Coordinates of all heavy atoms in Angstrom, one line a residue:
L681 N 2.5 5.9 -8.6 CA 3.9 5.9 -8.6 C 4.6 7.2 -9.0 O 5.5 7.7 -8.4 CB 4.4 4.8 -9.6 CG 3.9 3.4 -9.3 CD1 4.5 2.4 -10.4 CD2 4.2 2.9 -7.9
Y682 N 4.0 7.8 -10.1 CA 4.7 9.0 -10.6 C 4.2 10.3 -9.9 O 5.0 11.3 -9.8 CB 4.4 9.1 -12.1 CG 5.2 8.1 -13.0 CD1 4.8 7.8 -14.3 CD2 6.2 7.4 -12.4 CE1 5.5 6.9 -15.0 CE2 6.9 6.4 -13.2 CZ 6.5 6.2 -14.5 OH 7.2 5.3 -15.2
A683 N 2.9 10.4 -9.6 CA 2.4 11.6 -8.9 C 3.1 11.8 -7.5 O 3.1 12.9 -7.0 CB 0.9 11.5 -8.7
A684 N 3.7 10.7 -7.0 CA 4.4 10.8 -5.7 C 5.7 11.7 -5.8 O 6.1 12.3 -4.9 CB 4.9 9.4 -5.3
L685 N 6.2 11.8 -7.0 CA 7.5 12.5 -7.2 C 7.5 14.0 -7.0 O 8.3 14.5 -6.2 CB 8.1 12.2 -8.6 CG 8.3 10.7 -8.9 CD1 8.7 10.5 -10.4 CD2 9.4 10.1 -8.0
P686 N 6.5 14.7 -7.5 CA 6.6 16.2 -7.3 C 6.0 16.6 -5.9 O 6.2 17.7 -5.5 CB 5.7 16.7 -8.4 CG 4.8 15.6 -8.8 CD 5.5 14.4 -8.6
R687 N 5.4 15.6 -5.2 CA 4.8 16.0 -3.9 C 5.2 15.1 -2.8 O 4.6 15.1 -1.7 CB 3.2 15.9 -4.0 CG 2.6 17.0 -4.9 CD 2.8 18.4 -4.4 NE 2.0 19.4 -5.1 CZ 2.5 20.0 -6.2 NH1 3.7 19.8 -6.7 NH2 1.7 20.9 -6.8
A688 N 6.2 14.3 -3.0 CA 6.8 13.5 -1.9 C 5.8 12.6 -1.2 O 5.7 12.5 0.0 CB 7.5 14.4 -0.9
I689 N 4.9 12.0 -2.0 CA 3.9 11.1 -1.5 C 4.6 9.7 -1.1 O 5.3 9.2 -1.9 CB 2.8 10.9 -2.5 CG1 2.1 12.2 -2.8 CG2 1.8 9.8 -2.0 CD1 1.1 12.1 -3.9
G690 N 4.3 9.2 0.0 CA 4.8 7.9 0.4 C 3.9 6.8 -0.1 O 2.7 6.8 0.1
I691 N 4.5 5.8 -0.8 CA 3.8 4.7 -1.4 C 4.0 3.4 -0.7 O 5.2 2.9 -0.7 CB 4.2 4.5 -2.9 CG1 4.1 5.8 -3.7 CG2 3.3 3.4 -3.5 CD1 2.6 6.3 -4.0
Y692 N 3.0 2.9 0.0 CA 3.1 1.6 0.6 C 2.5 0.6 -0.3 O 1.4 0.8 -0.9 CB 2.3 1.6 2.0 CG 2.9 2.4 3.1 CD1 2.7 3.8 3.1 CD2 3.6 1.8 4.1 CE1 3.2 4.6 4.1 CE2 4.1 2.6 5.1 CZ 3.9 4.0 5.2 OH 4.5 4.7 6.2
F693 N 3.1 -0.6 -0.4 CA 2.6 -1.6 -1.3 C 2.0 -2.7 -0.4 O 2.5 -3.1 0.6 CB 3.7 -2.2 -2.1 CG 4.3 -1.3 -3.1 CD1 5.5 -0.7 -2.9 CD2 3.6 -1.0 -4.3 CE1 6.0 0.2 -3.8 CE2 4.1 -0.1 -5.2 CZ 5.3 0.5 -5.0
V694 N 0.8 -3.2 -0.8 CA 0.1 -4.2 -0.1 C 1.1 -5.4 -0.1 O 1.7 -5.8 -1.0 CB -1.2 -4.6 -0.8 CG1 -1.8 -5.9 -0.2 CG2 -2.2 -3.5 -0.8
D695 N 1.1 -6.1 1.1 CA 2.0 -7.2 1.3 C 1.5 -8.4 0.4 O 0.4 -9.0 0.7 CB 1.9 -7.6 2.8 CG 2.9 -8.8 3.1 OD1 3.6 -9.2 2.2 OD2 2.9 -9.2 4.3
A696 N 2.3 -8.7 -0.6 CA 1.9 -9.7 -1.6 C 2.6 -11.0 -1.4 O 2.5 -11.9 -2.2 CB 2.1 -9.2 -3.0
R697 N 3.3 -11.2 -0.3 CA 4.1 -12.4 0.0 C 3.1 -13.5 0.2 O 2.1 -13.4 1.0 CB 5.0 -12.3 1.2 CG 6.1 -11.3 1.0 CD 6.9 -11.0 2.3 NE 6.0 -10.4 3.3 CZ 6.4 -10.3 4.6 NH1 7.6 -10.8 5.0 NH2 5.6 -9.8 5.4
G698 N 3.2 -14.6 -0.6 CA 2.3 -15.7 -0.5 C 1.3 -15.8 -1.6 O 0.5 -16.7 -1.7
G699 N 1.3 -14.8 -2.5 CA 0.5 -14.9 -3.7 C -0.8 -14.1 -3.5 O -1.1 -13.3 -2.6
G700 N -1.7 -14.3 -4.5 CA -2.9 -13.6 -4.7 C -3.9 -13.6 -3.5 O -4.3 -12.5 -3.1
M701 N -4.2 -14.7 -3.0 CA -5.2 -14.8 -1.9 C -4.6 -14.2 -0.6 O -5.3 -13.5 0.1 CB -5.6 -16.3 -1.6 CG -6.4 -16.9 -2.7 SD -7.8 -15.9 -3.2 CE -8.8 -16.0 -1.6
A702 N -3.3 -14.4 -0.4 CA -2.7 -13.8 0.8 C -2.7 -12.2 0.6 O -2.9 -11.5 1.6 CB -1.2 -14.2 0.9
T703 N -2.5 -11.7 -0.6 CA -2.6 -10.3 -0.8 C -3.9 -9.7 -0.4 O -4.0 -8.7 0.3 CB -2.3 -10.0 -2.3 OG1 -1.1 -10.6 -2.7 CG2 -2.3 -8.5 -2.5
I704 N -5.0 -10.4 -0.8 CA -6.3 -9.9 -0.5 C -6.6 -9.9 1.0 O -7.1 -9.0 1.6 CB -7.4 -10.8 -1.2 CG1 -7.3 -10.6 -2.7 CG2 -8.8 -10.4 -0.7 CD1 -8.1 -11.5 -3.5
R705 N -6.1 -11.0 1.7 CA -6.3 -11.1 3.1 C -5.5 -10.0 3.9 O -5.8 -9.6 5.0 CB -5.8 -12.5 3.6 CG -6.8 -13.6 3.2 CD -6.5 -14.9 4.0 NE -5.1 -15.3 3.8 CZ -4.8 -16.2 2.9 NH1 -5.7 -16.7 2.1 NH2 -3.5 -16.6 2.7
N706 N -4.4 -9.6 3.3 CA -3.5 -8.6 3.9 C -4.0 -7.2 3.9 O -3.5 -6.3 4.6 CB -2.1 -8.7 3.3 CG -1.3 -10.0 3.7 OD1 -1.6 -10.6 4.8 ND2 -0.4 -10.4 2.9
I707 N -4.9 -6.9 3.0 CA -5.3 -5.5 2.8 C -5.9 -4.8 4.0 O -5.4 -3.7 4.4 CB -6.4 -5.4 1.6 CG1 -5.7 -5.7 0.3 CG2 -7.0 -4.0 1.6 CD1 -6.7 -5.8 -0.9
P708 N -6.8 -5.5 4.8 CA -7.4 -4.8 6.0 C -6.3 -4.5 7.0 O -6.2 -3.4 7.6 CB -8.4 -5.8 6.5 CG -8.8 -6.6 5.3 CD -7.5 -6.7 4.5
A709 N -5.4 -5.5 7.2 CA -4.3 -5.2 8.2 C -3.4 -4.1 7.7 O -2.9 -3.3 8.5 CB -3.5 -6.5 8.5
N710 N -3.0 -4.2 6.4 CA -2.1 -3.2 5.9 C -2.7 -1.8 6.0 O -2.0 -0.8 6.2 CB -1.7 -3.5 4.5 CG -0.9 -4.7 4.3 OD1 -0.6 -5.2 3.2 ND2 -0.3 -5.2 5.4
L711 N -4.0 -1.6 5.8 CA -4.7 -0.3 5.9 C -4.5 0.2 7.3 O -4.2 1.4 7.5 CB -6.2 -0.4 5.6 CG -6.5 -0.6 4.1 CD1 -8.0 -1.0 3.9 CD2 -6.3 0.8 3.4
G712 N -4.7 -0.7 8.3 CA -4.6 -0.2 9.7 C -3.1 0.1 10.1 O -2.9 1.0 10.9
E713 N -2.2 -0.6 9.5 CA -0.7 -0.3 9.8 C -0.2 0.9 9.1 O 0.7 1.6 9.7 CB 0.1 -1.5 9.3 CG -0.2 -2.8 10.0 CD 0.4 -4.0 9.3 OE1 0.8 -3.9 8.1 OE2 0.3 -5.1 9.9
T714 N -0.7 1.3 7.9 CA -0.1 2.4 7.2 C -0.9 3.7 7.3 O -0.4 4.8 7.0 CB 0.0 2.0 5.7 OG1 -1.3 1.7 5.2 CG2 0.9 0.8 5.5
N715 N -2.2 3.6 7.6 CA -3.1 4.8 7.8 C -2.9 5.8 6.6 O -2.5 6.9 6.7 CB -2.7 5.6 9.1 CG -3.1 4.8 10.3 OD1 -4.2 4.3 10.4 ND2 -2.1 4.6 11.2
P716 N -3.3 5.3 5.4 CA -3.2 6.2 4.2 C -4.1 7.4 4.3 O -5.2 7.4 4.9 CB -3.7 5.2 3.1 CG -4.6 4.2 3.7 CD -4.0 4.0 5.1
V717 N -3.6 8.5 3.6 CA -4.4 9.7 3.5 C -5.4 9.6 2.4 O -6.5 10.1 2.5 CB -3.5 10.9 3.3 CG1 -4.3 12.2 3.0 CG2 -2.6 11.1 4.5
F718 N -5.1 8.8 1.4 CA -6.0 8.6 0.3 C -5.7 7.2 -0.3 O -4.7 6.6 -0.1 CB -5.9 9.7 -0.8 CG -4.6 9.6 -1.6 CD1 -4.5 8.9 -2.8 CD2 -3.4 10.2 -1.1 CE1 -3.4 8.8 -3.6 CE2 -2.2 10.1 -1.9 CZ -2.2 9.4 -3.1

């Protein structure tokens, strides 16, 4: 959250709608949608 500020890093949050199990299931799809650098 904070290291994003001096370097303009974009922070995508895992889709947590639906609770804990839905969050875990959403990780693979969210990785493919957002293409994180790290």
Side-chain angles (χ1 to χ4, degrees):
L681 305 181
Y682 290 164
L685 299 174
R687 292 296 189 270
I689 298 171
I691 307 289
Y692 291 80
F693 293 102
V694 174
D695 184 3
R697 293 173 298 169
M701 293 306 297
T703 303
I704 294 172
R705 289 194 301 268
N706 288 335
I707 291 174
N710 291 170
L711 284 168
E713 293 164 351
T714 61
N715 293 308
V717 173
F718 71 96

